[in-house]
Amino acid sequence: MFAAGRNEAEPQIAEAALAELCRGYWAPLYAFVRSRGHTVHDAQDLTQSFFAYVLEHKVYARANRQKGRFRSFLLASLKNFLADAADRERTLKRGGAHVFLPLHEEQAKEAESLFQTHSGMSNEDRLFDRSWAEALVATALERLSADYKREDKEQLFKELRIFISGGADPVPTYAELTDRLGITKSTLRSHVTRLRARYREALRSEVRRTVDSEQQVDQELRELLHVLTQM
Amino acid sequence: MCGKPLNAKGDCVACLLRTGLGTAVESKPTILAFGDFEVEQQPDGSCWELGHGAIGVTYLASDKVLRRRVALKVIEVPSAARGSQAVRDRFLREARAAAALRHPNVAAVFQFGTSPDASHCYYAMELVEGETLAARVRRDGPLNAKEALKIAIQIARALTAAADHDLIHRDLKPSNIMLTGDSEVKVIDFGLAKAITDAGGEMDLTHGEFVGTPTFASPEQFEGGPVDARSDIYALGGTLWFALTGLAPHPGKTLDEIRDRKTRAGLPVAQLIARRVPEPLVKLLRSTLAIDPGKRPASAREFMEALESCRRNLSRRIVVRSEEAALRSEAFSRALTDAKACAGDPESLQALFDSAAKKAAAVSKKPFKRNWAYLQTMLRLIRAYHRGEYRQVSNDALVWIIAALNYLVDPFDLIPDDTPFLGLVDDAHVVELVTDKTRRTLDAFMTWETAAR
């Protein structure tokens, strides 16, 4: 993303990168807007308009890696955007000419569900960070799932996903899995290890898009983990 | 899994982040516990939430010592306040006062405490079976004056008892009023919740931002200074207004908007007139919701006596009529009755629906379309329903749509036929949109009607 901010030679690529990133983090921004008391539809409009504003005004070009992470930058920009009464007035007018990102039903539902899940949090910044963390891991999992699908290993990914995602379901035993997948225990162990490594890289790669260094990747992950484990 | 809450897909986000750091843990799920209380779990293993608001979550929990079920409110302490002796003392003071308050209209507070790292405060309350006033009004619509007064008087009794303990609620609102059985009232969350998150001048815990629910808060609460019982009286006035109209007297989408309306805009009394609220009660609500605390009833007892006087006067049927508004209100009641009569009969419902939509389509455009975005939403739903794109609209929602259409749609501009249907809503959402927004729009419409004449 920060690369997009500096990529003057290839603006379309930069915008495409931004659009992709924005799509991935639509939900946390929407949740933040909702936490400010806007209705579902107004929050959708405001979030959409915010992204349109970011792109149109090339706000991302002002981002400076030295000054903080993309997450903080985006949140600060959103706060400014919401504080601007003129912008807000303008964006509340429906049916504007420019639609930046198509809003899918599923995406909007998930974003609202995310907001409802965390709407009890006392601090809207924390709500945003928590939603961001969820969007981050979801994006990494989606990318990994797509990779496994491309390799015709979709079933393997589905069976082993629980080893990285935790969840309420009991983790199946290796014996159960070797029976189901028709592989040996050592092969299974190797698959699980590889899946963890690949997920780890997918997640870090996703974080890397929003920060500048490996050190910051760790820092960002720790910070988000801290937000999640405070309660 | 590490025991942290799961996301909507059932994944543990904390575990997924840890994997990125290479510090995955595989431990057994843990039970959320605070002191002697263990949060009960739903069959799917999630914590059993009774409700949550801006400042905390209320869980169904078990008292492991006394072996009884309680409502456990857990509030995250702002990090800036965790080391503060002043805040701790304040919480303790409020907690003792709340625990000492025993009254039939107050949910008793049994026990309170803080987590070992001081990050959370909690208190266990009497578990009240019933529904909140907010839920009752959402479900059944606004209450009549007699019913609303019966509830308000009980709340005023609770406030009077609290005043004897030098305790104020600070966050009185329809969702903090539990109704049990025959509209018997139990006020919940007395004093404590806000004591933790709002130090009221002793320390700026919230960095200048309002914590809680601003809609029913008094104007002086927005200033962050000390508040007294008259602040609760204001909130009770707002709650009574909501019970009578289904609307907050000063709604708004943002904190600034609500604050502005509370401090600058007049009261939308047309809402009360439209609901045929007796004049003495209108007058009392005007004084209760005065911006200046000095113009409100001076004490909960005084307010309670005024409410009881209003109740006695009800038998005299003193009703203020604003003829047009009252007629409109009746028209809506009739439309709603018609729609309700057909709710259980799909064919009649469909016929009524078709008739309303046809009527809507034939209406010419009028010049006041700006404020009717809600109607656009309803019409999107209706059109989509007609086109067979969306068949999950519940009967309840349809009843409201039809009633609103029959009553309201004629004068309004309609959205163009080619407006795409977003299809973003589920049933619950439809009900929320239609009931809540219809009522709000009714209010706006009444105001417009009154002003136009």
Coordinates of all heavy atoms in Angstrom, one line a residue, chain B residues 353 357 360-361 376-390 414-419 421:
Chain B
F353 N -51.1 -5.7 0.1 CA -49.8 -5.3 -0.3 C -49.8 -4.8 -1.8 O -49.3 -3.7 -2.1 CB -48.8 -6.5 -0.2 CG -47.4 -6.2 -0.6 CD1 -46.5 -5.9 0.4 CD2 -47.0 -6.3 -1.9 CE1 -45.2 -5.6 0.1 CE2 -45.7 -6.1 -2.2 CZ -44.8 -5.7 -1.2
A357 N -49.0 -1.0 -2.9 CA -48.0 -0.7 -3.9 C -48.5 0.0 -5.1 O -47.9 0.9 -5.6 CB -47.3 -2.0 -4.2
A360 N -49.1 3.5 -4.2 CA -47.9 4.2 -4.1 C -47.4 4.6 -5.5 O -46.9 5.7 -5.7 CB -46.8 3.3 -3.4
A361 N -47.5 3.6 -6.5 CA -46.9 3.9 -7.8 C -47.7 5.0 -8.5 O -47.2 5.6 -9.4 CB -47.0 2.6 -8.6
Q376 N -37.4 5.1 0.8 CA -36.7 4.4 -0.4 C -36.3 3.0 0.0 O -36.5 2.1 -0.8 CB -35.5 5.2 -0.8 CG -35.8 6.6 -1.2 CD -34.6 7.4 -1.7 OE1 -33.5 6.9 -1.5 NE2 -34.8 8.6 -2.2
T377 N -35.8 2.8 1.2 CA -35.5 1.5 1.6 C -36.7 0.6 1.6 O -36.6 -0.5 1.1 CB -34.9 1.5 3.0 OG1 -33.8 2.5 3.1 CG2 -34.4 0.2 3.4
M378 N -37.8 1.1 2.1 CA -39.0 0.2 2.1 C -39.4 -0.1 0.7 O -39.8 -1.2 0.4 CB -40.1 0.9 2.9 CG -39.9 0.8 4.4 SD -41.4 1.2 5.2 CE -41.4 3.0 5.3
L379 N -39.4 0.9 -0.1 CA -39.9 0.7 -1.5 C -38.9 -0.2 -2.2 O -39.4 -1.0 -3.1 CB -40.0 2.0 -2.2 CG -41.2 2.9 -1.7 CD1 -41.2 4.2 -2.3 CD2 -42.5 2.2 -2.0
R380 N -37.7 -0.2 -1.9 CA -36.7 -1.1 -2.6 C -37.2 -2.5 -2.2 O -37.2 -3.4 -3.0 CB -35.3 -0.9 -2.1 CG -34.6 0.2 -2.7 CD -33.1 0.2 -2.3 NE -32.6 1.5 -2.5 CZ -31.9 2.1 -1.5 NH1 -31.7 1.6 -0.3 NH2 -31.4 3.3 -1.8
L381 N -37.4 -2.7 -0.9 CA -37.8 -4.0 -0.4 C -39.1 -4.5 -1.1 O -39.3 -5.6 -1.5 CB -38.1 -3.9 1.1 CG -36.8 -3.9 2.0 CD1 -37.2 -3.5 3.4 CD2 -36.1 -5.2 1.9
I382 N -40.1 -3.5 -1.2 CA -41.4 -3.9 -1.7 C -41.2 -4.3 -3.2 O -41.7 -5.3 -3.6 CB -42.3 -2.7 -1.6 CG1 -42.7 -2.5 -0.1 CG2 -43.5 -2.8 -2.4 CD1 -43.2 -1.1 0.2
R383 N -40.5 -3.5 -3.9 CA -40.3 -3.8 -5.3 C -39.6 -5.1 -5.5 O -39.9 -5.9 -6.4 CB -39.5 -2.7 -6.0 CG -40.3 -1.4 -6.1 CD -39.9 -0.6 -7.4 NE -40.9 0.4 -7.6 CZ -40.8 1.7 -7.2 NH1 -39.8 2.0 -6.5 NH2 -41.8 2.5 -7.5
A384 N -38.6 -5.3 -4.7 CA -37.8 -6.6 -4.8 C -38.7 -7.7 -4.5 O -38.7 -8.8 -5.1 CB -36.6 -6.5 -3.9
Y385 N -39.5 -7.5 -3.5 CA -40.5 -8.6 -3.0 C -41.4 -8.9 -4.2 O -41.7 -10.0 -4.5 CB -41.3 -8.1 -1.8 CG -42.2 -9.1 -1.3 CD1 -41.8 -10.1 -0.4 CD2 -43.6 -9.0 -1.6 CE1 -42.7 -11.0 0.1 CE2 -44.5 -9.9 -1.1 CZ -44.0 -10.9 -0.2 OH -44.9 -11.8 0.3
H386 N -41.9 -7.8 -4.9 CA -42.8 -8.0 -6.0 C -42.1 -8.8 -7.1 O -42.7 -9.6 -7.8 CB -43.2 -6.7 -6.5 CG -44.6 -6.4 -6.1 ND1 -45.7 -7.2 -6.4 CD2 -45.2 -5.3 -5.5 CE1 -46.8 -6.7 -5.9 NE2 -46.5 -5.5 -5.3
R387 N -40.8 -8.4 -7.3 CA -40.1 -9.1 -8.4 C -39.6 -10.5 -8.1 O -39.0 -11.2 -8.8 CB -38.9 -8.2 -8.8 CG -39.2 -6.9 -9.5 CD -38.0 -6.3 -10.2 NE -36.9 -6.0 -9.2 CZ -36.7 -4.8 -8.7 NH1 -37.5 -3.9 -9.0 NH2 -35.7 -4.7 -7.9
G388 N -39.9 -10.9 -6.8 CA -39.6 -12.2 -6.4 C -38.1 -12.3 -6.0 O -37.6 -13.4 -5.9
E389 N -37.4 -11.2 -5.9 CA -36.0 -11.3 -5.6 C -35.8 -11.5 -4.1 O -34.7 -12.0 -3.7 CB -35.3 -10.0 -5.9 CG -35.2 -9.7 -7.4 CD -34.6 -8.3 -7.7 OE1 -34.1 -7.7 -6.7 OE2 -34.7 -7.9 -8.8
Y390 N -36.7 -11.2 -3.3 CA -36.5 -11.3 -1.9 C -37.8 -11.8 -1.2 O -38.8 -11.1 -1.1 CB -36.1 -9.9 -1.3 CG -35.7 -9.9 0.1 CD1 -34.4 -10.5 0.4 CD2 -36.4 -9.5 1.1 CE1 -34.0 -10.5 1.7 CE2 -36.0 -9.5 2.4 CZ -34.8 -10.1 2.7 OH -34.3 -10.1 4.0
L414 N -41.2 9.0 -5.1 CA -40.8 7.6 -5.1 C -39.5 7.4 -5.8 O -39.1 8.2 -6.7 CB -41.9 6.7 -5.8 CG -43.3 6.9 -5.2 CD1 -44.2 6.1 -6.0 CD2 -43.3 6.5 -3.8
I415 N -38.8 6.4 -5.4 CA -37.5 6.2 -6.1 C -37.7 5.7 -7.5 O -38.7 5.0 -7.7 CB -36.6 5.1 -5.3 CG1 -37.4 3.9 -5.0 CG2 -36.1 5.7 -4.0 CD1 -36.6 2.8 -4.5
P416 N -36.8 6.0 -8.4 CA -37.0 5.5 -9.7 C -37.0 4.0 -9.8 O -36.4 3.3 -9.0 CB -35.7 6.0 -10.5 CG -35.1 7.1 -9.5 CD -35.5 6.7 -8.2
D417 N -37.7 3.5 -10.8 CA -37.9 2.1 -10.9 C -36.5 1.3 -11.1 O -36.4 0.2 -10.8 CB -38.8 1.7 -12.1 CG -40.2 1.9 -11.7 OD1 -40.5 1.7 -10.5 OD2 -41.1 2.2 -12.5
D418 N -35.6 2.1 -11.7 CA -34.3 1.4 -12.0 C -33.3 1.4 -10.9 O -32.2 0.9 -11.0 CB -33.7 2.0 -13.3 CG -33.4 3.4 -13.1 OD1 -33.8 4.0 -12.1 OD2 -32.8 4.0 -14.0
T419 N -33.8 1.9 -9.7 CA -32.9 1.9 -8.6 C -32.6 0.4 -8.2 O -33.5 -0.4 -8.0 CB -33.5 2.6 -7.3 OG1 -33.8 3.9 -7.7 CG2 -32.6 2.6 -6.2
F421 N -31.8 -2.9 -6.2 CA -32.1 -3.4 -4.9 C -30.8 -3.9 -4.3 O -30.2 -4.8 -4.8 CB -33.2 -4.4 -4.9 CG -33.4 -5.1 -3.6 CD1 -33.7 -4.4 -2.5 CD2 -33.2 -6.5 -3.5 CE1 -34.0 -5.0 -1.3 CE2 -33.5 -7.1 -2.3 CZ -33.8 -6.4 -1.2

